[in-house]
Amino acid sequence: MSAAIYGLLGAALVGIGLFGLLVRRDALLRILAFNLLGGGVFLVFGAVARRGAGAGLAADPVPQAIILTGIVVAFAATTLAVALVLRLAAAKDRG
Amino acid sequence: MIADLLIVAAIVALALPVVLGRSAFTSVALFVAYGLLLAFAWVRLDAVDVALTEAAIGAGLSGVLLLGAARRLAGGPPVEDAPPGKAQVALIGVGCAGLAVALGAAILALPDPAPSLAGPVMANIAALEVGNPVTAVLMGFRGLDTLLEAAVLVLAVVALWALAPDAAWGGAPGWRQPRAADGPLALLARVLPPIGVVVAVHILWVGADAPGGKFQAAAILTAMWLLPWMAGIAAPPPISRAWLRILVAAGPVAFILAGFAGSALQGAFLAYPQGYAKAVIIAVEVVLTASIAVALALLVLGPPAEDRDA
């Protein structure tokens, strides 16, 4: 049951994140919105993992491991996006 | 059940103002709180490994990175794109709500019983001699994914450094922080690192059999490195240093070497020799932890800045 609740939360976060990504113009807010979207996708996957409980485990470890990898990659992408935004702002300042 | 609903309501209540907020600074602060609550959600989903990573990376390191960026960007030139019209915003809202509802419906319609790889993992975990199934998947059954992910971090560092202005190339990454003479930051930057390093080593070590592992340990080590930097006590090393570059690449290289050793000894890339699986896994994880910690720190610090005194 709790898996379904968090799965629905993930779906809501995907909607909220996509909305922010499309409507907001501030680059940093877009990066935040994109992270909300990503968090929603991870939660949906986490709900799938929770439903796959079995063999004495409370959740399927394979999706969990992939989510873990995903969080680190998403963070790396975020740092790159932030660096691009800062560099762009610095270039505008000078020009 | 009630706890779950409260967590869900709180996360939505934080996520909405992140997107709708007026100032980037407020949105970032809310985003950090959202990350911490998300860690609770992961615990409730029985994903403690993910919860540790989310708290350390999603809330902690992201917070440092984004708050710093929000401060740098404050007072900058306004955005030039034309704002979307009212009708356009309404249309986007309806579209996004429709997507969320469709995704929700798909989640409620998932097949029962759910397909699961928990059985195969537990049936084969004895061969890897580790007790934490998530670690077994990360280092064993899906080792190639983890290897590629470690390589992504190296690529991200390379891409980030490529953004350095010509004049700053080879200099120390990030902006110089003002020295915090006293106050909580100055105290924590001196007191926390020794404790944090011990905690990180513990989390790395227990990761073989309990929730924890290299990503979580590396994120804590990174935080312990960033604290003295934020307090202005220690400056990061210039990116031209050879040892720094070697350290960043060492993790994936060690992983690849272990993979080829598997090819030679066992006939398959990333296959671990029987009886030595845990020893090889721990050895690779130790190198990976150091490498990931340095890469994460460099990613948070950013490229070398031209105007170091600004």
Side-chain angles (χ1 to χ4, degrees):
Chain A
M1 187 57 213
S2 73
I5 297 175
Y6 287 109
L8 292 177
L9 171 65
L13 286 176
V14 168
I16 294 171
L18 188 61
F19 180 77
L21 192 61
L22 292 175
V23 167
R24 296 312 299 254
R25 295 174 301 146
D26 188 299
L28 202 60
L29 285 175
R30 282 190 178 159
I31 293 174
L32 288 178
F34 196 76
N35 269 293
L36 290 182
L37 203 171
V41 173
F42 292 145
L43 264 184
V44 170
F45 207 17
V48 171
R50 181 69 184 80
R51 293 177 86 256
L57 296 179
D60 189 345
V62 177
Q64 287 189 350
I66 307 287
I67 294 167
L68 235 161
T69 320
I71 290 176
V72 179
V73 172
F75 175 73
T78 304
T79 59
L80 195 55
V82 167
L84 280 168
V85 171
L86 288 174
R87 188 83 174 87
L88 203 59
K92 267 186 197 161
D93 267 355
R94 209 169 308 127
Chain B
M1 180 70 192
I2 291 173
D4 291 327
L5 288 176
L6 279 176
I7 292 174
V8 167
I11 290 178
V12 172
L14 283 171
L16 278 174
V18 166
V19 165
L20 301 173
R22 232 164 243 288
S23 89
F25 207 82
T26 320
S27 289
V28 169
L30 289 166
F31 181 79
V32 173
Y34 149 90
L36 286 174
L37 273 175
L38 203 56
F40 279 110
W42 287 118
V43 174
R44 300 289 301 177
L45 281 170
D46 291 298
V48 182
D49 292 273
V50 180
L52 284 171
T53 314
E54 182 72 51
I57 293 183
L61 296 186
S62 292
V64 174
L65 172 81
L66 292 165
L67 282 172
R71 204 191 49 175
R72 298 245 145 239
L73 289 171
V79 192
E80 284 153 11
D81 315 355
K86 277 215 169 81
Q88 209 178 350
V89 170
L91 213 61
I92 292 172
V94 171
C96 291
L99 177 75
V101 169
L103 198 54
I107 289 157
L108 294 177
L110 284 173
D112 219 16
S116 173
L117 289 168
V121 167
M122 289 319 276
N124 294 299
I125 196 168
L128 291 177
E129 303 157 32
V130 290
N132 180 354
V134 176
T135 300
V137 173
L138 277 175
M139 296 304 292
F141 309 129
R142 304 288 311 182
L144 196 58
D145 290 331
T146 312
L147 170 57
L148 290 175
E149 188 241 348
V152 163
L153 284 179
V154 178
L155 277 180
V157 171
V158 172
L160 200 75
W161 283 0
L163 293 173
D166 286 350
W169 177 252
W175 277 275
R176 188 184 300 161
Q177 300 288 330
R179 193 181 171 92
D182 47 18
L185 184 59
L187 177 70
L188 287 178
R190 289 180 172 86
V191 173
L192 264 191
I195 304 169
V197 169
V198 173
V199 171
V201 171
H202 172 75
I203 284 195
L204 169 65
W205 181 251
V206 299
D209 294 308
K214 61 202 161 307
F215 294 129
Q216 297 88 339
I220 295 172
L221 282 178
T222 301
M224 292 311 126
W225 187 8
L226 292 176
L227 260 179
W229 167 68
M230 288 194 291
I233 298 172
I239 63 166
S240 52
R241 292 283 152 78
W243 65 262
L244 191 68
R245 300 178 178 191
I246 290 170
L247 205 50
V248 170
V253 168
F255 211 161
I256 290 170
L257 288 180
F260 279 121
S263 301
L265 297 170
Q266 300 284 306
F269 188 67
L270 279 176
Y272 296 115
Q274 254 175 356
Y276 296 95
K278 185 170 180 179
V280 176
I281 287 176
I282 298 274
V284 171
E285 278 205 302
V286 168
V287 182
L288 266 180
T289 304
S291 187
I292 294 171
V294 173
L296 287 176
L298 291 170
L299 287 175
V300 175
L301 287 167
E306 201 168 5
D307 196 8
R308 300 236 344 127
D309 290 316

